[in-house]
């Protein structure tokens, strides 16, 4: 499809889509108050229109907004942020060029009010144990910034 | 899924020349058309009909070898995907059949002799190199007249496609010609105005009665439908029938005439808007996108 700068797009790979769907499920199952909707199923569908990195992060944020838009009862607001690692430096919200396959990348989804981690996914290895904590800090502060923007809309 | 009463309402109305939304039998719903939405594509367009049917098309080009049977023509490949946003039926492999059917319609529309000059315009070195246009269409929402919306979006995208200028560098022997792609200068497709549009006429409400631009409810009542490709020159560019019922020969002849007329109207109206878009493009003016692309 036309979603990515390179043809053919690689986002459609089944493994990646399934993994992304699982991340979504974990992140939202924890906050949606399913007891309020007995005998019902809530389906969340995603369509990637353009992808220049951070598609999964954008998807989580879009889903949060969509659920609020519909009025689904949730215990907290899920917000996501991605952190990449380029030339020994952490970069928040990496573009597709910055997300080369051999570089570490952290995708973090946090619950904005309780500050708990809803989902955390780290691809590839970071140089040492300490870096993981720093990456988490970056991602959390990024997520908080995003939350402010989303909250202003809601 | 319609109730018996709803079906009767639609069919009886059509028999009287009136439709549920007040349109005449061959009247069309309002169309929203936007071009050049996707920066990564060579050309793109979005068509919305009646605020329900929503199609997004992106075109990407690359240089390949032409087909052995048509060495002086370029290639076009069509891939339609029905998004799960349009219907839960399209999740996973659910939309595969409809995707194949829609892709096949587009392939047929552009394979006839009516579009030969368009395809020839894509050739670079006969027998050795040509452009292939990968046309990807995404059905974002479906409210009837998918064929019409799809073909219109594809046509609009093709009208604004720009390809880098290619220069042929003659080699010593005939087989040694090479191409040089100039990434600084872009040109629109020649003969993109030949791109056809598909008009679907659905038989609803009795013998000899048919409607254009049907809604999903009306499509559920139609026993038969004819979809015809029409271009600016008024030529037929392929036809396909649908539905389990049949259409008698006199009605079919009348449908084909009306399809050409309706298609001609669509082409003239949309072309006047596309000319504005093309003029803006060529003057380098920035256009603000409308809708969720803005």
């Amino acid at each position: 499809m036309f979603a990515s700068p390179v043809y053919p797009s690689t986002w459609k790979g089944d493994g990646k889509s399934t993994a992304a769907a699982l991340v979504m499920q974990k992140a939202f199952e924890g906050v949606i108050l399913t007891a309020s909707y007995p005998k019902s199923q809530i389906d969340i569908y995603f369509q990637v229109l353009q992808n220049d990195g951070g598609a999964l992060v954008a998807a989580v944020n879009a889903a949060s907004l969509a659920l609020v838009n519909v009025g689904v009862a949730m215990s907290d607001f899920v917000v996501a942020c991605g952190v990449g690692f380029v030339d020994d430096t952490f970069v928040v919200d990496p573009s597709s060029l910055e997300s080369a396959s051999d570089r570490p990348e952290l995708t973090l989804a946090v619950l904005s009010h309780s500050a708990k981690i809803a989902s955390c996914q780290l691809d590839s290895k970071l140089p040492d144990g300490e870096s993981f904590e720093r990456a988490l800090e970056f991602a959390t502060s990024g997520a908080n910034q995003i939350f402010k923007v989303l909250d202003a809309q809601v | 899924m319609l109730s018996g009463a709803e079906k009767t309402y639609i069919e009886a109305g059509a028999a009287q020349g009136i439709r549920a939304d007040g349109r005449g039998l061959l009247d069309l719903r309002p169309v929203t058309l936007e071009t050049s939405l996707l920066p990564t594509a060579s050309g793109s367009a979005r068509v919305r009909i009646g605020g329900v049917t929503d199609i997004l098309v992106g075109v990407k080009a690359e240089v390949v070898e032409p087909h052995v049977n048509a060495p002086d023509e370029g290639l076009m490949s069509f891939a339609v995907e029905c998004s799960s946003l349009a219907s839960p039926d399209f999740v996973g492999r659910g939309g595969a059949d409809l995707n194949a059917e829609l892709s096949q319609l587009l392939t047929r529309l552009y394979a006839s002799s009516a579009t030969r000059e368009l395809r020839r315009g894509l050739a670079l070195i006969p027998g050795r190199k040509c452009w292939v246009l990968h046309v990807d269409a995404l059905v974002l929402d479906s409210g009837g007249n998918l064929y019409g919306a799809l073909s219109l979006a594809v046509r609009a995208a093709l009208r604004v496609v720009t390809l880098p200028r290619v220069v042929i560098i003659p080699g010593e022997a005939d087989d040694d010609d090479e191409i040089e792609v100039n990434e600084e200068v872009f040109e629109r497709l020649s003969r993109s105005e030949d791109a056809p549009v598909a008009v679907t006429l659905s038989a609803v409400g009795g013998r000899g009665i048919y409607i254009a631009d049907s809604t999903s409810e009306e499509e559920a009542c139609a026993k038969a439908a004819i979809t015809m490709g029409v271009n600016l020159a008024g030529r037929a560019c392929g036809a396909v029938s649908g539905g389990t019922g049949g259409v008698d020969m006199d009605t079919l002849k009348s449908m084909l005439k009306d399809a050409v007329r309706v298609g001609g109207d669509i082409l003239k109206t949309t072309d006047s808007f596309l000319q504005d878009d093309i003029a803006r493009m060529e003057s380098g003016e920035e256009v603000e996108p409308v809708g969720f692309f803005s």
Side-chain angles (χ1 to χ4, degrees):
Chain A
M1 271 283 140
F2 40 65
S4 85
V6 176
Y7 189 92
S9 153
T10 47
W11 170 266
K12 208 67 206 351
D14 276 310
K16 251 195 150 165
S17 300
T18 326
L22 281 174
V23 167
M24 293 295 170
Q25 206 176 329
K26 269 183 31 183
F28 288 101
E29 257 173 6
V31 292
I32 295 179
L33 301 171
T34 47
S36 311
Y37 307 100
K39 298 187 184 149
S40 310
Q41 178 169 302
I42 299 176
D43 291 327
I44 310 179
Y45 299 111
F46 299 88
Q47 181 69 55
V48 178
L49 293 168
Q50 293 189 92
N51 184 4
D52 187 17
L56 180 52
V57 165
V60 169
N61 293 326
S64 272
L65 273 182
L67 288 165
V68 168
N69 184 230
V70 168
V72 169
M74 296 191 284
S75 61
D76 207 326
F77 196 97
V78 185
V79 137
C81 185
V83 170
F85 196 62
V86 177
D87 278 354
D88 302 335
T89 323
F90 284 112
V91 289
V92 170
D93 184 21
S95 65
S96 61
L97 275 177
E98 292 165 337
S99 308
S101 51
D102 59 340
R103 295 214 185 98
E105 191 160 328
L106 171 72
T107 304
L108 185 76
V110 294
L111 303 182
S112 44
H113 294 296
S114 61
K116 289 196 186 141
I117 294 178
S119 150
C120 171
Q121 201 170 279
L122 176 67
D123 294 318
S124 189
K125 263 196 309 202
L126 281 170
D128 53 63
E130 250 183 20
S131 298
F132 186 60
E133 277 186 43
R134 290 207 61 216
L136 276 182
E137 275 167 39
F138 271 98
T140 318
S141 104
N144 289 334
Q145 287 180 54
I146 295 174
F147 173 68
K148 287 201 187 76
V149 175
L150 297 186
D151 197 32
Q153 280 303 310
V154 158
Chain B
M1 289 230 294
L2 291 187
S3 69
E6 285 171 303
K7 278 202 169 131
T8 313
Y9 185 75
I10 290 174
E11 284 169 358
Q16 309 264 348
I18 315 167
R19 295 160 77 170
D21 53 12
R23 284 187 281 158
L25 296 183
L26 298 179
D27 288 341
L28 311 175
R29 288 171 288 180
V31 173
T32 310
L33 174 59
E34 262 185 289
T35 57
S36 306
L37 299 162
L38 304 171
T40 55
S42 304
S44 56
R46 183 173 172 204
V47 164
R48 269 170 291 174
I49 296 186
V52 272
T53 303
D54 195 345
I55 313 282
L56 177 62
V57 169
V59 179
K60 288 197 151 162
E62 62 177 320
V63 177
V64 294
E65 257 182 44
H67 205 265
V68 147
N69 297 337
D72 62 343
E73 291 178 10
L75 300 166
M76 299 178 78
S77 83
F78 297 93
V80 182
E81 190 194 321
C82 293
S83 167
S84 45
L85 296 180
S87 160
D89 295 339
F90 300 145
V91 176
R93 303 289 302 155
D97 286 347
L98 185 55
N99 291 346
E101 191 187 315
L102 295 170
S103 305
Q104 187 53 30
L105 170 92
L106 290 175
T107 306
R108 186 179 280 125
L109 270 185
Y110 284 85
S112 76
S113 58
T115 46
R116 179 167 294 138
E117 289 308 313
L118 210 183
R119 296 194 303 273
R120 275 195 163 150
L122 296 172
L124 295 169
I125 302 176
R128 286 190 47 220
K129 292 205 196 290
C130 68
W131 285 112
V132 60
L133 296 180
H134 295 291
V135 180
D136 287 328
L138 187 58
V139 177
L140 293 164
D141 205 355
S142 173
N145 197 12
L146 266 185
Y147 289 158
L150 250 183
S151 58
L152 188 54
V154 170
R155 180 169 199 275
L158 289 174
R159 292 287 273 140
V160 299
V161 156
T162 53
L163 297 177
R165 177 177 292 168
V166 171
V167 171
I168 315 283
I169 304 166
E172 281 160 15
D174 269 345
D175 282 347
D176 283 348
D177 294 352
E178 280 305 314
I179 57 166
E180 188 180 280
V181 177
N182 181 348
E183 300 273 359
E184 304 292 309
V185 183
F186 283 77
E187 292 162 337
R188 284 179 45 239
L189 289 182
S190 67
R191 302 296 291 261
S192 63
E193 62 272 19
D194 288 351
V197 98
V199 178
T200 304
L201 295 175
S202 313
V204 178
R207 193 186 163 96
I209 303 172
Y210 45 86
I211 55 178
D213 187 19
S214 45
T215 60
S216 355
E217 294 81 16
E218 288 168 335
E219 275 172 6
C221 301
K223 292 191 189 59
I226 303 287
T227 302
M228 202 166 103
V230 177
N231 71 2
L232 263 181
R235 288 187 57 186
C237 310
V240 65
S241 67
T244 51
V247 172
D248 62 276
M249 195 47 86
D250 287 333
T251 310
L252 180 60
K253 285 183 189 162
S254 162
M255 279 168 122
L256 295 179
K257 262 208 218 104
D258 277 330
V260 173
R261 192 181 52 74
V262 170
D265 288 342
I266 296 172
L267 286 166
K268 272 197 216 78
T269 320
T270 53
D271 251 12
S272 69
F273 286 103
L274 287 173
Q275 294 295 356
D276 287 343
D277 274 359
I278 291 168
R280 264 194 292 259
M281 232 174 70
E282 290 181 334
S283 72
E285 191 188 319
E286 284 293 317
V287 184
E288 281 302 311
V290 178
F292 57 60
F293 278 99
S294 60

